Amino acid sequence: MSASTISYPLALRLLDDGDGERYIQAELRYSATDPLAVTAVFDTTAREPVPWVFARDLLSAGLDDASGQGDINVWPAMDQHGTPTVRLRLRSPDGDAVLEAPATAVEDFLIQTWALVPTGIEGRLLSIDAVLDSLLDRT
């Protein structure tokens, strides 16, 4: 990764009704070229890695309060040992999953992103032409 990107590997606990603990390996990614977004790439054994893109502000807000609507929700919680965590609920036509990450890991990742692109200056880094090209699929 370059100096304008951050890659943060972590294991997320899958919360389901099954017995035992299941973990999914993931990587949080952030790039100054897309300063409003975070990409979470989930390593699945059944198929290719699965990326989810969502707002950095959504992840940040989820450290303290429930945030998000629709496909992605993030909220603070405690694990079975009383350790602060962040839960992510991801919904798609293929299914619904609730994942849990240590709050300290999520906060550490966000601190790195804020050091790269402080909150409030993201708009200065956006190219309106690139945004329009991506929205209109003009390449």
Side-chain angles (χ1 to χ4, degrees):
M1 296 273 162
S2 73
S4 66
T5 61
I6 295 165
S7 173
Y8 195 97
L10 75 157
L12 299 166
R13 189 165 70 104
L14 178 63
L15 302 177
D16 61 14
D17 295 332
D19 293 330
E21 291 189 357
R22 292 183 25 202
Y23 287 86
I24 295 176
Q25 293 301 311
E27 182 178 33
L28 296 177
R29 297 178 184 167
Y30 181 79
S31 174
T33 61
D34 192 3
L36 297 172
V38 167
T39 301
V41 180
F42 301 99
D43 186 15
T44 63
T45 56
R47 55 183 177 206
E48 295 292 316
V50 177
W52 281 74
V53 180
F54 50 94
R56 175 173 71 165
D57 288 347
L58 174 72
L59 187 60
S60 175
L63 284 171
D64 298 315
D65 292 304
S67 64
Q69 295 178 342
D71 295 342
I72 301 174
N73 301 95
V74 184
W75 68 95
M78 296 283 188
D79 69 10
Q80 68 273 26
H81 306 293
T83 303
T85 64
V86 174
R87 291 190 178 166
L88 295 97
R89 182 174 194 170
L90 307 174
R91 294 184 191 113
S92 79
D94 295 326
D96 187 346
V98 178
L99 303 163
E100 185 175 66
T104 55
V106 173
E107 187 173 23
D108 185 46
F109 169 74
L110 287 168
I111 287 168
Q112 291 180 43
T113 72
W114 295 324
L116 183 62
V117 178
T119 300
I121 70 158
E122 299 94 342
R124 292 188 230 160
L125 300 176
L126 292 174
S127 162
I128 191 65
D129 291 331
V131 170
L132 287 175
D133 285 346
S134 70
L135 290 173
L136 300 174
D137 199 22
R138 301 185 309 201
T139 52

